[in-house]
Amino acid sequence: MALKIAIQGIKGSNHHQVARDYFGDEVDLVECSSFDLLVEHLLNKTADKGIMAIENSIAGSIIPNYALVFSNNLHIIGEHYLNIHHNLMVLKGQTLDDIKEVHSHPMALLQCKDFFRNYKHIKLVEDVDTAETAKRIQEGRLMGVAAIAPKVAAELYGLEIIEANIQTIKDNSTRFIVVKTQNKVLPESAINKASVRFITDHKRGSLAAILNVMSDCNLNLTKIQSLPVIEMPWKYSFFVDVTFEKYQHFEKAKALLEIMSEEFKVLGEYKNARII
Amino acid sequence: MALKIAIQGIKGSNHHQVARDYFGDEVDLVECSSFDLLVEHLLNKTADKGIMAIENSIAGSIIPNYALVFSNNLHIIGEHYLNIHHNLMVLKGQTLDDIKEVHSHPMALLQCKDFFRNYKHIKLVEDVDTAETAKRIQEGRLMGVAAIAPKVAAELYGLEIIEANIQTIKDNSTRFIVVKTQNKVLPESAINKASVRFITDHKRGSLAAILNVMSDCNLNLTKIQSLPVIEMPWKYSFFVDVTFEKYQHFEKAKALLEIMSEEFKVLGEYKNARII
């Protein structure tokens, strides 16, 4: 039986592209209209693994997804980086002048807004997904409406790309994580990255003390983010990603952090997919 | 001439409530359909000050707004905390059973999604603003559509609240910042909070070293966030908020951080509005 992979969005979306890159084409895709639904599929065992965007090199972290991983006890078992290309696509025969509205994901619209400064007649409309509009344009034969979506969406839904790569910042990389309800036990030699979450007490300098320990254990911090603790306004938790050369270094840091911080939790131990 | 205050959204929005709380009612409100437009009004001098949501006790930071403050050289001159109450409102006479769609800001929908789990017949539709739908329902006499919006919107647009406080987490505080193109020079004794941004080099432990200095200077860290540097994928900048008792402590830290970090910049020095 093929592996069931839950993606946010529909076929033709960036999540679909990541599923292909990571798992190949021999999987059953479970299309989810929201990240919440994706998590539900994992918890209900109607999907084996899920793919979630977690961080964009322009806009930063997709914060609610960190909370979803943590609060639903998911495990991060891998990561993947995708270079995002935003393409403006329409029904065949339509031109830029014909477009009255462009629908896409808020993040895509944000990243392309400079392009549309020169086309004041085009209204930007937020949509849940990049590929969804492409599909709707095709199905409804919608004139005057354009989608911003990946190339694969134009292929799947028979649309024409009238402007390629319309994003302002051309080098636009998004990090996706692969999540699962059970931890996948990798051989220690294959693990060189981890995501952790902890709370520090209110004493001044307690975060610095923890970062010192990480540094002493030869961990490289690749991301840090304070996030409010729900139901405890303005008490902060920290989500931290680290890379390391030896798993033993991370093990030592784990033992120390469990003592030094509150509610220390490893969200995942996996292989760094970033080639620097 | 009355002070011109730019708010995100229209009258009846949470930003409007903050404008009232902070400046009173004797101001001219400049309604902006996006945070970008708000910044444009400040840069073009068509508004004197702006109010921007920056952080929510549930969902965390509104990351693109940090980038807007930094890249447009705005100054944070104050902050305000608002307890958010989400109310479900409709045309008078309509009931929960009549509602087919509820339109609101994605954040409001997210915070109320547990409530709607019991009403599967209601479709959640993302909108740019909480108050905007309230206005549209009134103007178009829309049946079957509900808004999630602050109480003030129901008053302004003559709607009926059929369910009050439908958010899952009842204690839901949002932090707003007051921004300006010029720095407002406060007396040092009135300043006990600051927002800064810096880049660290890639050496392991450099962030820990900086946090150590802050701690040594008696600064309390209330927020930290790494954010990718645009055009330099996966090089990170840090946005940090600190509180302190004496301005001299912050001055000392500033002098050290300018030497220790790259591109150190103070985004604002202001009065802490949080009563802990």
Side-chain angles (χ1 to χ4, degrees), chain A residues 177-276:
Chain A
I177 51 174
V178 184
V179 289
K180 211 170 171 290
T181 48
Q182 299 92 31
N183 197 10
K184 176 183 170 191
V185 184
L186 285 172
E188 288 181 5
S189 60
I191 299 173
N192 58 1
K193 187 166 184 180
S195 299
V196 302
R197 186 250 191 202
F198 55 85
I199 295 177
T200 62
D201 60 31
H202 283 302
K203 276 211 302 275
R204 181 182 303 142
S206 48
L207 176 64
I210 285 175
L211 296 188
N212 283 335
V213 165
M214 289 183 171
S215 168
D216 291 347
C217 291
N218 296 312
L219 308 188
N220 284 304
L221 187 133
T222 62
K223 153 168 214 74
I224 181 166
Q225 189 168 278
S226 59
L227 204 72
V229 181
I230 289 192
E231 295 286 18
M232 304 174 78
W234 312 110
K235 181 164 188 182
Y236 283 90
S237 59
F238 295 92
F239 285 84
V240 173
D241 287 351
V242 290
T243 58
F244 39 86
E245 281 173 24
K246 291 191 176 140
Y247 186 75
Q248 289 82 339
H249 293 158
F250 179 60
E251 261 192 326
K252 186 178 166 194
K254 269 200 291 190
L256 289 163
L257 293 181
E258 260 171 32
I259 300 164
M260 291 177 70
S261 67
E262 295 171 36
E263 297 186 21
F264 177 77
K265 185 176 180 184
V266 178
L267 304 178
E269 302 179 350
Y270 47 96
K271 189 166 162 41
N272 183 5
R274 190 86 203 151
I275 308 123
I276 308 247

Side-chain angles (χ1 to χ4, degrees), chain A residues 1-3 23-28:
Chain A
M1 212 171 72
L3 208 57
F23 295 106
D25 273 329
E26 301 302 306
V27 298
D28 281 346

Side-chain angles (χ1 to χ4, degrees), chain A residues 73-138:
Chain A
N73 232 342
L74 301 182
H75 296 271
I76 303 172
I77 59 162
E79 64 173 10
H80 184 78
Y81 292 82
L82 184 71
N83 252 319
I84 307 285
H85 300 285
H86 291 304
N87 303 294
L88 193 68
M89 53 190 73
V90 290
L91 282 180
K92 286 196 173 120
Q94 294 261 294
T95 68
L96 254 171
D97 291 334
D98 298 325
I99 302 175
K100 290 186 183 58
E101 290 185 0
V102 56
H103 296 226
S104 196
H105 189 274
M107 191 73 93
L109 293 174
L110 187 72
Q111 293 172 358
C112 302
K113 70 183 177 199
D114 281 358
F115 174 84
F116 291 105
R117 287 232 169 99
N118 300 322
Y119 303 97
K120 295 282 187 193
H121 67 286
I122 300 177
K123 191 181 163 195
L124 306 186
V125 182
E126 296 193 353
D127 209 331
V128 285
D129 189 67
T130 52
E132 190 108 18
T133 313
K135 191 180 178 191
R136 212 169 51 231
I137 290 173
Q138 179 58 25

Side-chain angles (χ1 to χ4, degrees), chain A residues 36 55 113 234 236 274, chain B residues 36 55 113 228 234 236 274:
Chain A
D36 282 308
E55 190 178 355
K113 70 183 177 199
W234 312 110
Y236 283 90
R274 190 86 203 151
Chain B
D36 281 308
E55 190 179 354
K113 70 183 178 200
W234 313 109
Y236 283 90
R274 190 84 201 153

